[in-house]
Amino acid sequence: MGLRPTQYRCASESLLRRLRKEGALPRIHPVVDLCNAVSVAYAVPVAVLDADRITGPLLEVRPAHGDEEYATFDGRTERPVPGEVTYADSAGRAHARRWTNRQSGHSAVSGSTRRILVVAEAMHEGGADTVTQALKALAEELTAHGPVTPVTALLTSGAPEFTIRLDARTP
C-alpha cells in the first residue's frame, strides 16, 4: 500500500498488540466492541460507521484528492494527503483514511446510531475467504442480539461495487 508498516499499523494489528500488552480490548460501544473482537479473531481490519452520517449517493474507496474533510476523534479537521486511500462520501467527507486504519470521528458509532456500515479488509492470500468468514460471524452475532437484517457483499477487483441506500429514510 506504500505505507511504512511500523508507522501506520493496520487496525487489527494495533488491537492485537493492545490485547497482548493490556490483556483486554477497549470498551467503546457494544457494536464497536463486537467489531474489534472479530477484527482480533480473524486478524483483519474491521471498521464500523454510522451509516446515517454518510452523505450519499456514493461512498467511494479511492485515492484522496486532498480537499476532503476528515474529522478526528478530538474534533479537529484534517485533509488527507492526495493519493492516500480514503473512504469518501458525496459531500467530500473522508470517513476513513489509509483504507480503514483511521476512522473518522464524524461517522463514529454512538448511542444515537440506528444503522451501521461494517467494512472488513484483507489483501493477503486467502483474504476473500477470511473477510467472508468475519462478516458471517458479525452478521450472526448482530442478528442474535437484536432485530437486524444484515446485508453483505464481497468487493473484489472483478466486482468493485455494492449498492446500499445511504439516506436516513431507508430502514
Side-chain angles (χ1 to χ4, degrees):
M1 291 182 358
L3 300 173
R4 293 193 327 231
T6 56
Q7 182 178 6
Y8 300 111
R9 297 188 189 285
C10 75
S12 56
E13 184 179 351
S14 294
L15 285 169
L16 283 166
R17 291 169 63 88
R18 186 170 184 170
L19 179 61
R20 187 176 302 124
K21 182 179 178 182
E22 298 175 15
L25 295 174
R27 296 282 187 192
I28 300 167
H29 178 280
V31 174
V32 175
D33 298 347
L34 173 62
C35 289
N36 284 344
V38 168
S39 178
V40 166
Y42 290 89
V44 294
V46 176
V48 58
L49 308 172
D50 184 327
D52 294 325
R53 303 282 294 163
I54 300 169
T55 301
L58 295 175
L59 177 64
E60 298 179 291
V61 179
R62 62 167 173 76
H65 301 140
D67 60 353
E68 298 86 357
E69 289 188 6
Y70 172 83
T72 66
F73 279 96
D74 65 6
R76 291 178 295 118
T77 299
E78 297 177 352
R79 301 244 183 242
V81 176
E84 178 182 328
V85 177
T86 62
Y87 282 57
D89 71 10
S90 295
R93 190 172 283 117
H95 294 276
R97 295 179 62 185
R98 299 182 199 111
W99 295 90
T100 59
N101 287 5
R102 285 187 66 202
Q103 288 183 243
S104 169
H106 177 79
S107 52
V109 171
S110 69
S112 63
T113 298
R114 296 292 170 248
R115 296 182 319 132
I116 61 171
L117 174 64
V118 177
V119 179
E121 300 172 343
M123 295 184 196
H124 63 278
E125 184 74 31
D129 290 334
T130 303
V131 166
T132 298
Q133 293 170 11
L135 291 177
K136 181 178 183 233
L138 276 168
E140 288 172 356
E141 285 298 318
L142 290 169
T143 302
H145 290 89
V148 299
T149 307
V151 177
T152 63
L154 181 66
L155 302 182
T156 65
S157 59
E161 294 182 4
F162 173 53
T163 302
I164 60 170
R165 296 281 311 250
L166 290 175
D167 62 58
R169 297 177 302 251
T170 304

